[in-house]
Amino acid sequence: KIVKTVLLPVKNFESAKQRLIPALDAARRAGLARAMLQDVLHTLAQSRFPQRIVVFTASPEVVQMAKAEGFDVVVEELVDGHSAAVNRMVDELLTSSSRIMSIASDLPRLQPSEVDFALSVAAEPVTLIPSRDWTGTNGVVFISPARITMEYGEGSFRRHLSKTAAAGLRSDVINLPGFAFDIDTPEDLKAFIEDPRKDSETWRYLQDNR
């Protein structure tokens, strides 16, 4: 088993980005989530190290987007939140993967070189990739058979570090700018608009939907 797998769990666009409610209406939040996912899918398609990319979703639209890139799709029958989705799929995929990386779907600055770097240099059983404020977890790499039960949400980065230590596993932290920058809050949105990645779907969408 020498398969390097990337797992990308994606929720329905309609329910995405609740923390952006003060800044964007429902249609714009869904459109932004769709544009950011398109950027992540495009980045993964250009990366060289992943041997298998698995998109896990209940959304028929996301299924179509993933299949258009030639990625594997697992349809989520029972929608039970991001943590449950990651934990279920990591369990399934670790049996056939030497290493597995789970990443967020809202990373408009993510670069193919960062995906390749994180997947190839991870040397400890668990490698965590934090959000830019060091509270969230935007990526994780497990080297088989190591794993912890992921528990996303507020303060997840410290929680995942503690869980790794409690499981008696060594961990590493890689800080990569494209992984670190997600758009979750009105402040994140403002930061992206002030310093956009101009070749991104995310920026095109925001330009067209001011």
Side-chain angles (χ1 to χ4, degrees), residues 57-104:
T57 187
S59 160
E61 188 181 354
V62 174
V63 169
Q64 292 304 316
M65 290 169 72
K67 285 190 170 167
E69 295 285 3
F71 299 158
D72 293 349
V73 174
V74 177
V75 176
E76 186 176 12
E77 305 289 351
L78 177 68
V79 179
D80 197 15
H82 187 68
S83 304
V86 171
N87 291 323
R88 190 195 131 188
M89 287 308 295
V90 165
D91 271 350
E92 285 186 23
L93 295 169
L94 267 179
T95 58
S96 58
S97 305
S98 58
R99 50 186 64 198
I100 179 168
M101 176 164 70
S102 180
I103 67 170

Side-chain angles (χ1 to χ4, degrees), residues 97-126:
S97 305
S98 58
R99 50 186 64 198
I100 179 168
M101 176 164 70
S102 180
I103 67 170
S105 63
D106 59 350
L107 308 175
R109 296 193 196 279
L110 186 66
Q111 298 291 337
S113 58
E114 293 177 313
V115 173
D116 291 339
F117 181 82
L119 206 48
S120 59
V121 307
E124 300 294 2
V126 180

Side-chain angles (χ1 to χ4, degrees), residues 5-208:
T5 301
V6 173
L7 168 65
L8 181 63
V10 187
K11 64 170 106 174
N12 281 332
F13 299 132
E14 290 66 36
S15 59
K17 299 292 145 204
Q18 298 294 310
R19 289 161 70 190
L20 283 170
I21 287 174
L24 300 173
D25 62 27
R28 282 204 181 93
R29 290 197 307 276
L32 177 62
R34 183 182 294 109
M36 288 194 289
L37 172 63
Q38 193 70 62
D39 283 328
V40 171
L41 290 172
H42 191 56
T43 296
L44 289 173
Q46 292 178 302
S47 56
R48 298 198 322 262
F49 272 65
Q51 294 159 296
R52 174 174 60 181
I53 293 161
V54 180
V55 176
F56 183 57
T57 187
S59 160
E61 188 181 354
V62 174
V63 169
Q64 292 304 316
M65 290 169 72
K67 285 190 170 167
E69 295 285 3
F71 299 158
D72 293 349
V73 174
V74 177
V75 176
E76 186 176 12
E77 305 289 351
L78 177 68
V79 179
D80 197 15
H82 187 68
S83 304
V86 171
N87 291 323
R88 190 195 131 188
M89 287 308 295
V90 165
D91 271 350
E92 285 186 23
L93 295 169
L94 267 179
T95 58
S96 58
S97 305
S98 58
R99 50 186 64 198
I100 179 168
M101 176 164 70
S102 180
I103 67 170
S105 63
D106 59 350
L107 308 175
R109 296 193 196 279
L110 186 66
Q111 298 291 337
S113 58
E114 293 177 313
V115 173
D116 291 339
F117 181 82
L119 206 48
S120 59
V121 307
E124 300 294 2
V126 180
T127 298
L128 297 168
I129 311 174
S131 60
R132 66 193 177 120
D133 62 3
W134 290 82
T135 63
T137 311
N138 287 352
V140 60
V141 182
F142 295 116
I143 296 180
S144 181
R147 70 183 304 300
I148 56 167
T149 302
M150 300 300 283
E151 192 184 328
Y152 291 92
E154 198 64 42
S156 73
F157 178 68
R158 287 197 167 284
R159 193 157 55 243
H160 292 145
L161 278 177
S162 318
K163 280 173 170 260
T164 307
L169 296 167
R170 291 194 313 276
S171 64
D172 194 9
V173 176
I174 304 178
N175 189 18
L176 295 164
F179 272 96
F181 190 91
D182 52 17
I183 300 183
D184 262 338
T185 65
E187 294 73 34
D188 296 334
L189 184 61
K190 182 168 179 284
F192 186 80
I193 289 168
E194 286 172 356
D195 180 21
R197 184 183 145 201
K198 291 191 171 158
D199 65 342
S200 64
E201 281 301 318
T202 302
W203 179 238
R204 279 191 281 276
Y205 178 79
L206 290 170
Q207 289 290 89
D208 294 343

